[in-house]
Amino acid sequence: MIASKPWLPRWVSTAASGCAAIGALAQGGSVRVLVVEDDALLRDTLKRDLERSGFAVDVAADGVDGEFLGASETYDAVVLDLGLPRLSGLEVLRRWRSAGHLMPVIVLTARDQWHERVAGLKAGADDYLGKPFHLEELLARLQALLRRGGAGHPPRLSREGVELDQEHQAAIVDGVRTEPLTALEFRLLRYLMVHSGQVVSKSTLGDHVYERDMDPDSNVIEVYINRLRRKIGKDLIRTRRGQGYVFDGTP
């Protein structure tokens, strides 16, 4: 109940004022975020406000589900509460890092639990935020992590003669900058380049760009793949009929 959470009125009162900050972050390009938080009101508020900016947001209510999503899906950033049921946030983080999952993680802790913040940073967190917190501060910290590429996304990614400038969200092909990429085009291209040489299904691409419950019959992926081909060269992204797409540059 709200009354049992003394920090919630402060959060809710600042959520609306944070919309401008969310919009500013989204202008740099859509990102996929995982929110692992057991408090339903905070979890739903984060999901709603991040989605208002066009972010793809997945949520988990406990450590077991959160650990599974973080290990099996691809995220640009994670907001992870340390006080989770079933499996602590600290253990979730340790498992991710031990398995080589390097996405940027911001841990949430009680304001006066300094030892939790220290433990989280030692376990591999990129930043921390104490409760109660203002939405603008969370977004500023996310923006800082994404701007510098975070632990899991180096500023530049190169494959098959294509260089992806992740800070400016632009593609450079054989030394020449392409037409500007939209946020969705950038996300699709980055995912395909990270998985260069692997066949990626349409449903997997949909999961990365949108939420997991995206309509599997949607033709949005095909539309954006065709747009990417026009911008970077049609031979770099190939269709494997009945399987998906592969970025490899081979005939």
Side-chain angles (χ1 to χ4, degrees), residues 8-19 49 133-136:
L8 282 176
R10 180 179 175 186
W11 163 265
V12 174
S13 67
T14 60
S17 64
C19 290
D49 287 338
F133 59 87
H134 290 278
L135 182 59
E136 291 90 338

Side-chain angles (χ1 to χ4, degrees), residues 37-183:
E37 167 61 56
D38 65 316
D39 185 274
L41 179 55
L42 176 56
R43 184 176 65 248
D44 292 346
T45 301
L46 277 169
K47 178 177 172 65
R48 180 196 65 211
D49 287 338
L50 289 173
E51 285 180 337
R52 283 177 179 174
S53 67
F55 296 167
V57 183
D58 292 342
V59 296
D62 61 61
V64 172
D65 289 345
E67 192 273 335
F68 174 77
L69 285 176
S72 59
E73 303 283 345
T74 302
Y75 294 100
D76 300 282
V78 177
V79 179
L80 175 68
D81 184 31
L82 292 186
L84 295 170
R86 300 180 68 194
L87 187 67
S88 74
L90 194 61
E91 181 59 26
V92 168
L93 182 56
R94 286 173 178 153
R95 293 186 183 187
W96 283 341
R97 295 313 192 217
S98 295
H101 302 297
L102 301 178
M103 62 282 196
V105 175
I106 297 179
V107 297
L108 303 180
T109 69
R111 179 71 71 178
D112 58 348
Q113 299 300 311
W114 64 268
H115 58 283
E116 288 189 351
R117 298 196 294 271
V118 171
L121 292 171
K122 287 183 176 179
D126 297 273
D127 201 354
Y128 70 86
L129 193 58
K131 298 176 183 178
F133 59 87
H134 290 278
L135 182 59
E136 291 90 338
E137 183 177 4
L138 172 62
L139 291 166
R141 291 174 183 270
L142 277 171
Q143 188 176 35
L145 287 177
L146 294 168
R147 187 187 305 118
R148 64 176 182 257
H153 296 299
R156 287 186 180 252
L157 177 68
S158 298
R159 300 284 192 280
E160 304 292 344
V162 178
E163 185 175 13
L164 197 61
D165 182 344
Q166 302 202 79
E167 181 177 359
H168 300 98
Q169 303 210 337
I172 302 167
V173 180
D174 295 329
V176 179
R177 189 174 292 267
T178 68
E179 295 178 42
L181 299 177
T182 67

Side-chain angles (χ1 to χ4, degrees), residues 175-193:
V176 179
R177 189 174 292 267
T178 68
E179 295 178 42
L181 299 177
T182 67
L184 289 175
E185 289 168 355
F186 172 80
R187 287 167 56 75
L188 278 172
L189 180 56
R190 181 176 63 190
Y191 192 85
L192 287 169
M193 289 178 66

Side-chain angles (χ1 to χ4, degrees), residues 200-218:
V200 182
S201 68
K202 186 177 80 170
S203 63
T204 297
L205 286 172
D207 285 343
H208 180 71
V209 176
Y210 301 98
E211 293 184 48
R212 297 192 308 280
D213 57 357
M214 186 196 79
D215 179 5
D217 296 325
S218 171

